[in-house]
Amino acid sequence: MKIDTLTYTVDQGFSAKLPIISAKQLLILVFGHTNFMENPLPFDTLLAQYPQAILMGCSSAGEIIGSHIQDNSLVISLVQFESTTLRMTHINIHAPQESRNIGRLLADRLSSEELKGIFVLSDGLKVNGSELTKGFNDVIKQGTIVTGGMAGDGDRFANTWVLKNGKPTSGIVTALGLYGNVHIGHGSKGGWKSFGPAREVTRAENNILYELAGKPALALYKTYLGELAEGLPATGLRFPLALSQPGEDKELVRTILAIDEATQSLTFAGDIPVGAYAQLMRANLEQLVEGAENAALMSDTDTDKPVLCIAISCVGRRMVMGADAEEEVEAVLDNLPENTTQIGFYSYGEISPYSKGSCDLHNQTMTLTTIYE
């Protein structure tokens, strides 16, 4: 496996001359600013230069390349595989209610005895990530790793894109199947700490939370945010919810996508089950960096071969860390093999197994997918 990386900006163009590549199994990953939906030139250029390539990518709330974070750019990775076969498929989505069925359809299209893993990118606003992951889990066989993330749009929550046939398009879920002699590792950790009382979810529908302990969810949430409540939903990224089920050890984190003053409800990136217990969370820089370190260690990536690391972190983490956000992407590289190439983006949701087994939707985590042959 050979990996090249470069960047693109409107003002400077590509950061380097596009290399000559003849490999048939070529994956081009591209993550970038939402505005590139109106500027297809760099995608057209890549397709013209590499007609044999699978071009996959999405919009971001910040682009990760190496140990750096960028804005208003595209980050690009050209990955040449030698003993791995790639297949990609996509489906249009119009409403969150379609999410589970779309997960099933994508998984069914990619299913094979040789399938080792699936990497998923989805629209960040029209998809219920919890239902999407359930759809994959309905179909894939045990041991097949599913990872990925939901496209971002900074703290604007207005529009996201996913590449469809090389074109940035809204309302798309795309999935890449990896087959053959390929090793796929994964890690997902947060670093957030719960505070305040745990309250029972007494009224919710899918990913919309209406009541906690019989009280309007939005009003209750605002009391904790104080002055920050004026900036919702963006400021809510700093205070996600921890969800736990009675009698279970697993704790999932959910982050806000939207609010509705009329119904006093909160819309999250994933499901909020009635009967679960929800607790507010917060974090500082040190805790979030430690979470990123633990995600790298969890991936169990130990090799002297070239490694591709796809890092997907949540926009809420970046908001909390501010100018120090690069410390978490540096921490990932410090805990992976020296021959690791890192690329990724800040997202509206992360997809990965909780530890092992079936995949879940996560929020506010650093989620890693490591790949080597």
Side-chain angles (χ1 to χ4, degrees):
M1 190 169 77
K2 183 180 179 182
I3 308 168
D4 295 283
T5 59
L6 61 156
T7 62
Y8 180 94
T9 62
V10 173
D11 293 336
Q12 302 295 325
F14 290 100
S15 60
K17 184 178 179 180
L18 296 178
I20 296 173
I21 297 175
S22 59
K24 292 183 178 180
Q25 296 298 315
L26 173 62
L27 172 65
I28 304 178
L29 291 171
V30 186
F31 306 117
H33 196 276
T34 318
N35 288 346
F36 280 96
M37 182 175 283
E38 311 301 326
N39 179 16
L41 177 61
F43 309 107
D44 293 342
T45 302
L46 289 168
L47 282 176
Q49 178 76 8
Y50 308 109
Q52 81 278 28
I54 287 177
L55 187 57
M56 187 177 191
C58 68
S59 61
S60 77
E63 301 87 61
I64 298 169
I65 186 162
S67 59
H68 302 290
I69 302 170
Q70 301 180 174
D71 290 294
N72 304 310
S73 71
L74 297 175
V75 295
I76 304 161
S77 181
L78 309 169
V79 189
Q80 302 177 56
F81 290 93
E82 297 175 0
S83 57
T84 303
T85 301
L86 308 173
R87 286 176 54 197
M88 190 172 73
T89 185
H90 63 261
I91 296 178
N92 292 57
I93 185 166
H94 304 95
Q97 294 82 357
E98 302 172 344
S99 299
R100 186 164 188 167
N101 191 48
I102 283 176
R104 290 170 176 162
L105 289 171
L106 290 169
D108 188 61
R109 290 180 185 180
L110 296 174
S111 290
S112 163
E113 288 298 319
E114 296 295 317
L115 179 65
K116 295 295 181 65
I118 297 175
F119 182 69
V120 184
L121 295 175
S122 83
D123 185 284
L125 299 172
K126 299 178 182 178
V127 174
N128 181 324
S130 295
E131 290 297 299
L132 181 68
T133 58
K134 288 176 183 176
F136 278 98
N137 293 333
D138 288 342
V139 174
I140 61 170
K141 65 179 182 180
Q142 188 174 3
T144 302
I145 296 167
V146 180
T147 60
M150 300 173 68
D153 181 29
D155 60 1
R156 296 174 292 274
F157 298 94
N159 196 23
T160 67
W161 55 259
V162 172
L163 290 179
K164 174 187 177 183
N165 299 325
K167 305 292 184 183
T169 310
S170 63
I172 298 294
V173 184
T174 187
L176 174 74
L178 296 99
Y179 308 80
N181 185 26
V182 59
H183 182 279
I184 304 171
H186 61 85
S188 183
K189 290 293 183 181
W192 300 82
K193 304 299 181 183
S194 301
F195 73 98
R199 291 183 169 89
E200 185 179 0
V201 176
T202 49
R203 185 179 169 220
E205 184 177 346
N206 297 320
N207 62 332
I208 302 176
L209 173 62
Y210 294 98
E211 291 182 1
L212 286 169
K215 298 180 180 179
L218 180 57
L220 188 62
Y221 196 83
K222 283 183 175 181
T223 62
Y224 278 94
L225 266 62
E227 294 180 357
L228 291 174
E230 294 296 323
L232 284 169
T235 50
L237 294 169
R238 300 174 181 270
F239 299 94
L241 285 185
L243 287 180
S244 59
Q245 295 281 2
E248 293 186 7
D249 294 332
K250 184 165 68 173
E251 181 181 81
L252 296 177
V253 182
R254 291 289 175 261
T255 194
I256 293 175
L257 292 181
I259 65 172
D260 188 329
E261 295 283 357
T263 61
Q264 287 291 289
S265 66
L266 303 163
T267 300
F268 290 83
D271 281 352
I272 309 291
V274 172
Y277 281 82
Q279 195 171 9
L280 280 168
M281 306 185 86
R282 60 188 171 196
N284 58 34
L285 175 64
E286 183 179 341
Q287 291 166 339
L288 295 179
V289 171
E290 183 180 357
E293 293 174 346
N294 289 335
L297 295 173
M298 180 181 173
S299 73
D300 193 25
T301 306
D302 184 13
T303 180
D304 57 2
K305 297 178 181 179
V307 176
L308 172 68
C309 174
I310 307 172
I312 304 178
S313 186
C314 184
V315 59
R317 299 171 66 86
R318 190 178 184 196
M319 291 183 68
V320 171
M321 291 184 285
D324 296 316
E326 285 188 346
E327 289 194 24
E328 75 161 348
V329 295
E330 292 170 357
V332 170
L333 282 177
D334 288 344
N335 288 277
L336 290 175
E338 290 185 7
N339 49 349
T340 298
T341 300
Q342 180 167 245
I343 189 171
F345 68 101
Y346 280 83
S347 75
Y348 284 174
E350 306 83 56
I351 296 171
S352 171
Y354 182 76
S355 56
K356 296 181 180 180
S358 60
C359 66
D360 282 304
L361 174 75
H362 304 270
N363 293 138
Q364 307 288 11
T365 64
M366 170 63 85
T367 291
L368 308 175
T369 305
T370 58
I371 301 171
Y372 65 87
E373 291 184 303

